[in-house]
Amino acid sequence: MNFYNKAIALISALIVCSFIAPAQEAKLPTQWTNTAMQAGIPLSEYPRPQLQRNDWLCLNSHWDYRGGKDAPNALNPETPASFESKPDKILVPYCPESVLSGVQRKQEINMWYRRSFEVPAKWQNKQVIIHFGAVDHDATIFVNGKKAGSHSGGYDSFSFNISPYLKKGSNTIIVAAQDLNDGKTPSGKNGPRGDYTFSSGIWQTVWLEPVSKSYIKNIRLLPDPEGKRLKVFVNAVGAGKIKAVALNNGQDVSQVSAVGGSYFYLPIDNPVLWSPEAPFLYDLKLTLYNADGSEADEVKSYFGMRDIKLGKLNGVIRPLINGKFIMQLGLLDQGYWPDGILTAPTEEALKFDIEYTKKAGYNLIRKHMKTEPQRFYYWADKMGLLVWQDMPAIWYQNEDTTQNRKVYRQELKAIIDDHYNSPSIITWVPFNENWGAFDVKNITNWVKQYDPSRLVNGNSGFNNNPDYQKPYGDPGNGDYVDTHIYVGPYGASVPDGHRAASLGEFGGVGLFVRGHMWPVHNNAYDYEPTKARLTDRYVFLLDEVEQLMKYKGLSVAIYTQTTDVEHEVNGVLTYDRAVEKMDIERVREVNQAVIKEGDKLNK
């Protein structure tokens, strides 16, 4: 947090106590709940590590709020709603259904947010961009009463240049958000056929940053370890030359000059490779110059030199990372929180699940049915955790197909664009268990063509199917033959002539932990009565996974799941992250043993 943000945080902390109602009681608090509730500026870390500038202003804080059944329609309004009557207060960026927000309603449809801010004096003569990490689902932004722009999509970031609407002194921003949550837009487990608490409105960081008239809008990075180079695209507003510098621990290792708006290559001699065992990251500095040679903009980024592709190992099709088979052994990670729902309460909480996963000896997570803030992927990149990224499902793909399917395709592309640069993401998963599935074969091909640098699992668990639709089944293309087996793992898929075999979900064995469960009827696929018995069961399941890997060609196994989630008690951690439900040393030992046996197949 820069000095300006620190000052605002202190002022906010002093002011908020004068108007905030007593905090609501969390059904199941985490160790971070109170910290989040008391923060003047929650989640104040720089939100975009792969395109970072020094100067910025976090707008997370208490905002005025209008919601509930009497809130005005918030779908693409032309004028902002009135806040004349005494509004509620909401703690942004937590959704209004969460206890951390201070609102905690069951489901919000029309939401209106308002707050004031002053542009720092040193930003004079700069363009001011407002950024939103994510708003579910349709958002319209007003600045000083003027409409600055609209965005549709609940899981991708967006921004607007609000400079034309600013004035000296205090400025007011109003955000209108509508989320019907009717299953006709991508919503994952958050939709009407999902299992968990709804989540609506602003749910990731809101922030401002100053830029020059010419600036770097976004970048695309593609590592090419075999070619000893990094492919770079810089999308710049305004013409100008680009200088790109790669650094290893602060030392320049490569430098090129180029122009914005076209691809260029940055040579990386003797590249240090990124892998789960050694997640080395190069720093990247990009500078944009004006026509007169003066500096217009500079951003900092990073990249990892790794590739992933299919190849044959001892006659078996397997995924190869940097030319080597690594048994992908991981957890289904849903990213839900009892206090923040889709939003981790603090940065420490956001890191916690990744740290635990690594500590327990896994090398992979499947991020299930949601996306995370950019900082989540930064920590996965930095700690060396492989990621399969799901696309959140739609639920009624056969209703109004011209509109609903178009929305799905647009938001799938936006999510890929948002997270394209993270080396940790190695596989895209467009569909899961036929939920909302349509045109699976063509969409799988499209994703593969749009991002040929990663693998694609078109319909994970195609052997399962929701009861409200006919199964789409195995698309026959993509990079994986993927089945879900509960409890499993026997019955898992085997590789075919052109695809590797994946067990996209298995396990799901539950344990009740009194005092650490969501207050509903809890369930799992199967149960064990004690921590010791559950650990024994897990070790046995992993021994079976090892057999499938060595003798049946299995390359991926994803256990359900990282934490309990509301009624589900089959996590390796309780929902509040307070209790480890298995003996972590034994879990780590067997996980690492399976991965090491996989490594032996390379010899």
Side-chain angles (χ1 to χ4, degrees), residues 132-139 151 153-156 158 175 177 201-204:
F132 293 83
V135 181
D136 200 1
H137 174 266
D138 293 276
H151 175 267
Y155 293 89
D156 63 298
F158 62 96
V175 177
I202 298 172
W203 67 279
Q204 290 187 28

Side-chain angles (χ1 to χ4, degrees), residues 63 80-81 83 112-115 140-143 172-176:
W63 292 44
F83 281 79
W112 292 84
Y113 302 76
R114 181 183 70 174
R115 71 154 287 170
T140 302
I141 316 305
F142 298 91
V143 179
T172 300
I173 178 174
I174 291 178
V175 177

Side-chain angles (χ1 to χ4, degrees), residues 369-382:
M369 286 291 174
K370 67 168 288 197
T371 61
E372 294 284 356
Q374 295 282 359
R375 292 196 66 85
F376 179 92
Y377 303 95
Y378 164 72
W379 288 115
D381 295 341
K382 194 172 180 63

